[in-house]
Amino acid sequence: MDNNDQNLQWELCKDYFSIVSSTSNTTVSLEELCAFSKISYEKVLGIIPKNYLDYKYFFFKILVARLDQEALEQFKNDVSEDTTSTIYDKILEGMTIRFESYLPYKQALKILSLSFNLKAKNFLKFFETNNSYMLNLIGLVEQRQNCSFKFVKSITLNIVFVKTMDIFLKEENNDLDSTLRYLDKYLSDVEDIGIMLGIIQNKL
């Protein structure tokens, strides 16, 4: 797929989530999406795989991949010259940036999570894509990390993320106050357990 098609997919993805946010309707037809996006139906059919019967998962996957990539790039720039923050603080920042990137889509994600048992399915999707994000995050923070410990840490951070995502979706206000408080608490809890088990020597 060329860059033009990828860019068009991203525009359709943003429009899809915009429709969900404004209408609270998780079932958006391609005809509705084309009318909203002002893109021809034939052109859209050419860039969306025909085997996708439920487009919410298709656009959900695009959204997570795009936002995670942007969040990692921002984090990489933020920590490139940071020699004073602890590893814990850097991981907390990297996960915070990720939640901040999801904030503009929070209403749509809440709506999707409430529809016919989609919550569990969405969490699985988040968990699957999250492994890559956390592995990359740890790689940026600890370049010389032992591979086995790196994998264990990424799984642990996946669990922390999923637990915190539940708070994110339940929070009524369009902010991250409760989400970030729980994120810090959950990270602190797993840090204490990791030190006790010898998985974490000093800080996450």
Side-chain angles (χ1 to χ4, degrees):
M1 180 180 295
D2 60 32
N3 289 335
N4 288 335
D5 285 349
Q6 288 181 341
N7 291 336
L8 191 55
Q9 279 189 351
W10 175 237
E11 291 303 317
L12 289 168
C13 177
K14 291 190 294 182
D15 288 342
Y16 169 80
F17 280 96
S18 179
I19 294 172
V20 172
S21 295
S22 61
T23 66
S24 298
N25 183 12
T26 62
T27 305
V28 180
S29 69
L30 282 186
E31 289 82 0
E32 291 177 272
L33 184 58
C34 291
F36 186 90
S37 304
K38 296 181 173 59
I39 301 173
S40 72
Y41 185 79
E42 291 73 19
K43 191 167 187 177
V44 170
L45 284 179
I47 63 170
I48 294 182
K50 295 180 176 59
N51 60 335
Y52 269 90
L53 299 178
D54 192 340
Y55 296 106
K56 64 173 67 70
Y57 295 119
F58 175 73
F59 290 122
F60 185 82
K61 183 178 179 180
I62 292 175
L63 181 75
V64 171
R66 179 69 172 249
L67 295 184
D68 282 357
Q69 180 184 2
E70 293 176 352
L72 282 171
E73 285 298 320
Q74 180 182 338
F75 176 72
K76 184 177 180 180
N77 292 333
D78 289 350
V79 301
S80 60
E81 298 181 1
D82 184 352
T83 59
T84 59
S85 296
T86 65
I87 292 173
Y88 180 95
D89 289 338
K90 289 179 180 179
I91 288 179
L92 178 61
E93 179 184 356
M95 295 180 75
T96 297
I97 290 172
R98 194 179 195 213
F99 278 109
E100 288 174 344
S101 72
Y102 290 151
L103 191 57
Y105 301 92
K106 180 177 179 179
Q107 183 61 25
L109 293 174
K110 289 177 70 171
I111 293 168
L112 286 174
S113 72
L114 294 173
S115 62
F116 62 92
N117 198 32
L118 275 177
K119 191 169 188 177
K121 294 178 182 178
N122 280 349
F123 272 22
L124 287 175
K125 291 292 183 181
F126 268 110
F127 194 89
E128 290 168 4
T129 56
N130 191 37
N131 188 51
S132 174
Y133 184 89
M134 294 307 174
L135 284 171
N136 285 319
L137 177 62
I138 294 170
L140 290 171
V141 172
E142 299 180 87
Q143 288 80 9
R144 297 183 180 181
Q145 177 65 247
N146 176 281
C147 288
S148 297
F149 283 175
K150 182 178 179 180
F151 182 75
V152 170
K153 285 186 180 182
S154 71
I155 295 298
T156 303
L157 294 179
N158 283 341
I159 295 170
V160 169
F161 176 80
V162 172
K163 288 179 65 177
T164 311
M165 177 57 68
D166 190 43
I167 303 298
F168 176 80
L169 292 174
K170 290 177 179 177
E171 197 169 25
E172 293 298 327
N173 297 326
N174 194 33
D175 57 44
L176 292 173
D177 292 345
S178 295
T179 300
L180 297 185
R181 283 198 302 271
Y182 277 94
L183 174 60
D184 196 11
K185 177 185 181 303
Y186 294 151
L187 276 178
S188 181
D189 289 345
V190 299
E191 179 192 34
D192 292 341
I193 295 172
I195 291 173
M196 182 179 66
L197 296 176
I199 297 172
I200 300 171
Q201 299 302 321
N202 291 309
K203 286 290 183 179
L204 273 170

